Amino acid sequence: MKLYLFLLPTLLLFKCPLFAQSGVTIELQDKIDSLSELIVSLETTELIQSMSQRSILTPKYYNDRKSLTARQAYNFWIRNSASKFISHLNVYSALYDANKYYEYDSVENTFYNHIREHEEMVTSIVYGTEPNTFYSASSDGKILKWNEAEIGKEPTLLFKDRYLYRSIDLSSDGKWLLALTKENGILIISTENKKLNNSEVKFSRVSQDSENAQAAIFLPNELNYLTVNKQGHIKIKGYQLDSIKGQTQYEVRSLAVDVRKSEIYAGTINGVVQVWNERFENSYLDIPETFAVNVLAVSSDHKLLAIGREKGDAIIWHLEEERIIRIISGHQSAITAIDFSPDNKRILTASRDGTVRVWDVFDSKKFPIVLDDHDDWVMTACFDQTGTKILTGSKDKTIRIFNLDFEWMADRLCKYVNRNMTPEEWQDYVGHNFQYEDTCPNLVKGNH
């Protein structure tokens, strides 16, 4: 970039009227103008990266400076003509790092998006069909129902026993939870259980399928469920229904269903993804089979299958074209959860390395957003119904809600800081090459 800056004054000499008579020169001038815009864009990009990093490195006891630097980096970022994905990772990290210290409890070490209600690791989380509703299961034996809009209030206890829950799944109508236990079969639990008082809980309409299963999920758009038992039998079960449809020779870790193609997918410990069609004829996906498949997810448009593996990578398989369209690498340990955003443009991967990463499905050049605020393995993660938030659960016993809306996070900083940068702060954090402006332009007049 310094070379471009050195050559620019010389190149601008060609913009004088003497040369403006030639079409070739006009074309050259256009190229020079484009080069000038590129140089400004590159300089802005470098500044955005620098300010984001300075904000992250600023201690929390200088929270005003930390927040204003992150917010101003965001302001430059949204106006920059360069690709937003050159700097979006650092901008998000700076905004999140500044935001988390507002509503911070230093005694309990809790943050604004931090929920600690379970006494042991959070093993599974699913969003409900109603806005703001989600459910969590833990190795403490509790299954809880939450209202995100009232997150400070005590959640509803749906069920409690000394079971180790491997996963939970929600029926399409939102009325039932399927809880897969490690050694005690499957529980079907009503989501309408009520807490009667401080000491008594009415667990209404709970049924148990005592047959131990390797994996189990509800079938889409119906109340029957799909299981693989310890013998490898693929079964469809429900009210007065227990039908064997196939068998696998491999240990199954995850199941997924594509209703459009009427296919069932089983991810196995051997790295094989086994497929059954509606006639329960058996086949396999043509993927590298070295590493165990831990989790599967089908996109809501039924075009893609996501495969999360023990290796720490994820494969995106095109269901219609029957081919791999991308292999995502970046985690340092096994994938524990995978989920598509509602618009199917992004995908999240959670890992035992303690992070969740949010990827662009189709553009491998775009860096992921990294959510790295847990202190231990991330066991479960999913998008909310809008795709603007991610819910995570960890071995560190906590649940976190990560907001992916950059504008919301930037505005929240201005709400708490309630002032703009001083001219001295501007010179220190931005520099004289950029004209002073209000970092928080929507503050009430008189707040500086």
Side-chain angles (χ1 to χ4, degrees):
M1 189 178 77
K2 292 180 179 178
L3 177 62
Y4 287 148
L5 291 172
F6 175 77
L7 292 176
L8 184 58
T10 304
L11 292 170
L12 291 177
L13 292 175
F14 289 97
K15 298 184 71 175
C16 68
L18 177 64
F19 295 93
Q21 307 301 317
S22 166
V24 175
T25 306
I26 292 173
E27 182 179 348
L28 178 59
Q29 289 179 18
D30 292 339
K31 291 182 179 180
I32 292 171
D33 290 338
S34 298
L35 179 59
S36 302
E37 292 176 3
L38 174 62
I39 292 169
V40 172
S41 178
L42 290 172
E43 186 177 7
T44 305
T45 299
E46 184 176 2
L47 178 64
I48 292 167
Q49 300 279 52
S50 172
M51 292 184 70
S52 298
Q53 288 299 317
R54 288 191 70 178
S55 174
I56 293 169
L57 294 172
T58 300
K60 64 178 181 291
Y61 48 81
Y62 291 128
N63 216 8
D64 275 16
R65 298 182 198 175
K66 187 181 191 74
S67 300
L68 289 168
T69 309
R71 170 67 198 231
Q72 189 60 49
Y74 164 79
N75 292 350
F76 286 136
W77 176 70
I78 58 174
R79 298 198 305 263
N80 192 20
S81 59
S83 169
K84 296 292 184 290
F85 289 89
I86 293 176
S87 339
H88 81 292
L89 172 58
N90 280 340
V91 171
Y92 182 87
S93 297
L95 290 173
Y96 177 78
D97 190 60
N99 263 289
K100 77 176 190 176
Y101 291 108
Y102 295 109
E103 302 177 25
Y104 169 59
D105 186 333
S106 59
V107 176
E108 298 293 333
N109 195 35
T110 58
F111 305 90
Y112 80 102
N113 68 332
H114 182 170
I115 305 165
R116 184 184 290 273
E117 183 71 26
H118 286 293
E119 297 162 7
E120 296 180 20
M121 67 177 174
V122 182
T123 56
S124 189
I125 288 176
V126 292
Y127 263 99
T129 55
E130 300 175 356
N132 298 318
T133 300
F134 67 90
Y135 304 87
S136 62
S138 167
S139 57
D140 63 10
K142 295 179 184 177
I143 297 178
L144 303 177
K145 180 179 181 179
W146 300 83
N147 184 343
E148 189 181 321
E150 300 176 345
I151 208 63
K153 295 183 178 181
E154 187 177 357
T156 300
L157 179 62
L158 290 184
F159 188 77
K160 181 180 180 180
D161 209 321
R162 288 308 305 173
Y163 295 151
L164 176 60
Y165 303 108
R166 296 171 61 181
S167 65
I168 55 174
D169 192 29
L170 185 69
S171 61
S172 299
D173 62 6
K175 295 181 179 181
W176 301 95
L177 278 176
L178 181 156
L180 172 65
T181 70
K182 186 176 182 180
E183 299 293 343
N184 301 92
I186 295 167
L187 301 175
I188 306 296
I189 303 168
S190 170
T191 59
E192 300 304 317
N193 287 334
K194 303 292 185 182
K195 182 169 183 178
L196 302 181
N197 53 50
N198 291 333
S199 61
E200 183 179 3
V201 178
K202 182 181 179 182
F203 297 134
S204 62
R205 304 175 72 190
V206 177
S207 60
Q208 185 168 10
D209 176 354
S210 59
E211 182 179 31
N212 285 333
Q214 302 178 42
I217 57 172
F218 274 116
L219 289 171
N221 305 320
E222 56 180 287
L223 293 180
N224 296 326
Y225 57 97
L226 181 70
T227 75
V228 182
N229 67 12
K230 295 293 186 180
Q231 292 73 43
H233 294 131
I234 310 294
K235 292 186 175 184
I236 294 179
K237 293 187 174 186
Y239 182 68
Q240 295 184 337
L241 175 65
D242 188 342
S243 173
I244 297 177
K245 295 296 185 181
Q247 187 167 9
T248 175
Q249 65 188 35
Y250 307 108
E251 180 183 335
V252 173
R253 289 191 170 181
S254 56
L255 290 168
V257 177
D258 176 25
V259 294
R260 181 173 295 180
K261 295 186 71 176
S262 298
E263 288 185 337
I264 294 169
Y265 308 96
T268 71
I269 195 172
N270 300 71
V272 172
V273 176
Q274 199 163 356
V275 185
W276 289 268
N277 62 21
E278 58 187 338
R279 295 183 297 277
F280 273 83
E281 297 168 335
N282 185 27
S283 62
Y284 303 90
L285 298 189
D286 185 18
I287 63 170
E289 297 178 358
T290 308
F291 301 97
V293 175
N294 292 339
V295 285
L296 297 170
V298 177
S299 62
S300 60
D301 61 5
H302 309 285
K303 293 182 178 180
L304 304 174
L305 174 70
I307 304 163
R309 305 201 295 177
E310 185 73 17
K311 180 183 179 181
D313 65 354
I315 296 172
I316 301 180
W317 176 269
H318 202 293
L319 291 170
E320 295 177 348
E321 299 175 4
E322 297 185 348
R323 65 181 180 88
I324 294 173
I325 63 170
R326 188 177 174 193
I327 298 179
I328 296 173
S329 300
H331 286 288
Q332 302 302 311
S333 189
I335 303 296
T336 54
I338 200 162
D339 192 28
F340 286 99
S341 61
D343 62 5
N344 302 307
K345 294 180 179 179
R346 293 180 294 180
I347 189 171
L348 69 78
T349 53
S351 171
R352 289 202 294 261
D353 67 10
T355 71
V356 176
R357 300 177 186 231
V358 187
W359 312 80
D360 184 281
V361 169
F362 299 102
D363 192 343
S364 60
K365 299 187 297 298
K366 296 177 181 177
F367 287 165
I369 292 175
V370 179
L371 313 177
D372 59 353
D373 220 13
H374 280 292
D375 297 326
D376 212 324
W377 296 357
V378 180
M379 306 298 297
T380 178
C382 60
F383 283 99
D384 75 345
Q385 300 95 330
T386 68
T388 61
K389 294 177 184 177
I390 287 176
L391 198 61
T392 64
S394 171
K395 192 178 178 182
D396 66 11
K397 308 176 186 178
T398 67
I399 296 169
R400 289 189 183 272
I401 303 173
F402 291 91
N403 198 313
L404 301 181
D405 186 336
F406 284 69
E407 183 179 6
W408 180 89
M409 290 195 296
D411 288 345
R412 185 174 184 267
L413 293 180
C414 288
K415 169 188 170 184
Y416 280 96
V417 175
N418 199 34
R419 70 176 180 87
N420 289 301
M421 279 190 178
T422 65
E424 293 75 20
E425 287 172 331
W426 185 272
Q427 288 301 313
D428 188 17
Y429 290 94
V430 181
H432 63 274
N433 289 338
F434 292 82
Q435 185 177 357
Y436 179 88
E437 64 184 39
D438 287 343
T439 299
C440 296
N442 296 323
L443 290 181
V444 177
K445 189 174 182 180
N447 290 338
H448 299 290

